[in-house]
DNA sequence: GTCTATAAAGCGATAGAC
DNA sequence: GTCTATCGCTTTATAGAC
């Protein structure tokens, strides 16, 4: 592995700036409302230059997803892994995703767009990282089920899907927009709802 | 109130057919991917004729939302109201929304589209029915909190938002697409997750 | 009210000069 | 690799005949 040249570093920095802008726009407006013109404008380059780095709008979205998956994996490897109980690790990850969403840094993609879906499943970077994260979380879920901390009636895959879904739960956005909860209050409340349910214990 | 003329009945039937098509397309592809051309094609009339009935694409979506809100209100007034416990009424409503979603009849709108949001809040029919349903559910939520069935740590409005959110929870679509759960299994599982939480009791 | 035809605008993507 | 300029297509919405 050679040290990257100065030229390569500049290129990498520019691509980071692009992914930054895409991430912000995806979190703010969503995939359909995000225009490639807006991305170019926010980065401060011409649209045609964007297409020298990424071949399509879908590839831009995939790059943003790859980065958030990397951030999630990094959180799992450090802070979450430091907790002794599997259930607490899962809660920590869920809490982290909600903080990311609150900060306006959670790119959420429409599940229904088929063009986008095809591009994502064909994207090696994206799929590899998605599966790596799923496997890591899957281990913790099974461990938590084994020691009786997670409900045995909910299949492991349903737990996993639910965690992904709560990372983009629109309820948090509504609470933030309402303005009557602090970040900590809102997230604690949703975490409780997710793990302990709406019904009294 | 006069009896509607034959002409008015035909018109009403046509508008019902339009709302049917919009509802199906919204549930299937979402608002952004739904084109007015597709609606016209599915109804079997020309696009220009559509605009004689509804003034915009947003108005079409609002009409579909109005109808599902009416259906929800009707369910609340009959089957849910027949249950003695407020918590059971809320569970029945949540279960009903999941059945609607499973059947591909739940029109779900993007929370981020600002043009659509403006049109909806300006739509009297939509807002009136949304508020009527929210009030009805709000009464049951407060009753369930009062008798200790709902967690006192989750504010009533958060419970309400959560119920609306679970009505469009993408997890159900994933489980249906996976094909390894029956409708009853998937919905029971998600209901459990929603009211009892992921953690063991 | 229904149709055909078209206007008007937005957007993803590319050509070609530098 | 970056730019300006533009293509080609889709989509919402409307004009005007019947």
């Amino acid at each position: 592995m050679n040290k990257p040249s100065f030229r390569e570093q500049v290129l990498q920095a520019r691509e980071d700036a692009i992914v930054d802008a895409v991430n912000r726009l995806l979190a703010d407006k969503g995939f359909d409302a995000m225009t490639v013109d807006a991305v170019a404008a926010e980065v401060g380059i011409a649209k045609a230059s964007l297409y020298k780095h990424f071949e399509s709008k879908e590839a831009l979205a995939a790059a943003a997803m790859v980065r958030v998956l990397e951030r999630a994996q990094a959180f799992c490897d450090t802070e979450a892994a430091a907790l002794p109980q599997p259930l607490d690790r899962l809660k920590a990850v869920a809490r982290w995703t909600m903080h990311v969403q609150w900060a306006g840094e959670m790119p959420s993609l429409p599940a229904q767009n088929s063009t986008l879906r095809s591009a994502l499943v064909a994207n090696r970077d994206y799929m590899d990282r998605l599966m790596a994260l799923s496997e890591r979380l899957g281990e913790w879920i099974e461990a938590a089920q084994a020691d009786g901390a997670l409900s045995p009636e909910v299949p492991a895959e349903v737990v996993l899907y639910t965690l992904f879904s709560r990372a983009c739960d629109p309820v948090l956005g509504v609470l933030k927009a309402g303005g009557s909860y602090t970040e900590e209050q809102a997230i604690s409340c949703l975490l409780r709802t997710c793990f302990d349910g709406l019904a009294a214990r």
Side-chain angles (χ1 to χ4, degrees), chain A:
Chain A
M1 268 246 256
N2 279 335
K3 170 173 100 178
S5 71
F6 178 70
R7 184 170 197 81
E8 285 165 343
Q9 286 183 33
V10 171
L11 225 71
Q12 186 57 46
R14 169 136 299 177
E15 296 204 348
D16 281 349
I18 295 173
V19 176
D20 265 348
V22 171
N23 198 79
R24 222 177 356 259
L25 286 166
L26 280 183
D28 185 36
K29 310 162 81 85
F31 180 77
D32 293 298
M34 176 186 83
T35 68
V36 180
D37 287 88
V39 175
E42 189 149 326
V43 180
I45 63 177
K47 180 164 57 167
S49 304
L50 262 189
Y51 280 94
K52 297 286 181 180
H53 295 272
F54 299 92
E55 68 174 349
S56 67
K57 183 184 177 183
E58 285 76 18
L60 285 171
M65 290 305 297
V66 163
R67 213 185 48 178
V68 79
L69 287 172
E70 284 174 344
R71 288 178 63 190
Q73 189 74 256
F75 180 86
C76 287
D77 291 342
T78 56
E79 291 171 65
L83 297 172
Q85 299 298 328
L87 180 61
D88 289 328
R89 293 182 193 157
L90 295 174
K91 286 185 178 177
V93 175
R95 175 180 285 276
W96 176 84
T97 64
M98 292 180 189
H99 279 293
V100 173
Q101 197 197 346
W102 186 278
E105 295 169 356
M106 182 61 80
S108 78
L109 304 179
Q112 297 159 319
N113 187 322
S114 61
T115 310
L116 179 58
R117 273 194 67 84
S118 308
L120 285 179
V121 300
N123 187 309
R124 182 88 188 240
D125 275 359
Y126 170 76
M127 287 304 289
D128 283 352
R129 282 169 172 91
L130 178 63
M131 290 202 278
L133 181 61
S134 297
E135 242 169 85
R136 164 60 63 102
L137 293 177
E139 291 165 10
W140 293 348
I141 290 168
E142 284 173 14
Q145 285 179 325
D147 69 23
L150 271 184
S151 167
E153 297 175 40
V154 182
E157 62 169 345
V158 175
V159 177
L160 180 66
Y161 298 154
T162 300
L163 291 178
F164 280 123
S165 179
R166 293 308 166 267
C168 318
D169 196 337
V171 172
L172 191 59
V174 174
L175 295 187
K176 186 178 182 187
S180 34
Y181 298 89
T182 67
E183 176 176 3
E184 199 47 43
Q185 287 171 338
I187 291 179
S188 294
C189 185
L190 290 200
L191 258 185
R192 209 204 117 80
T193 300
C194 180
F195 284 91
D196 294 335
L198 295 174
R201 291 226 163 199

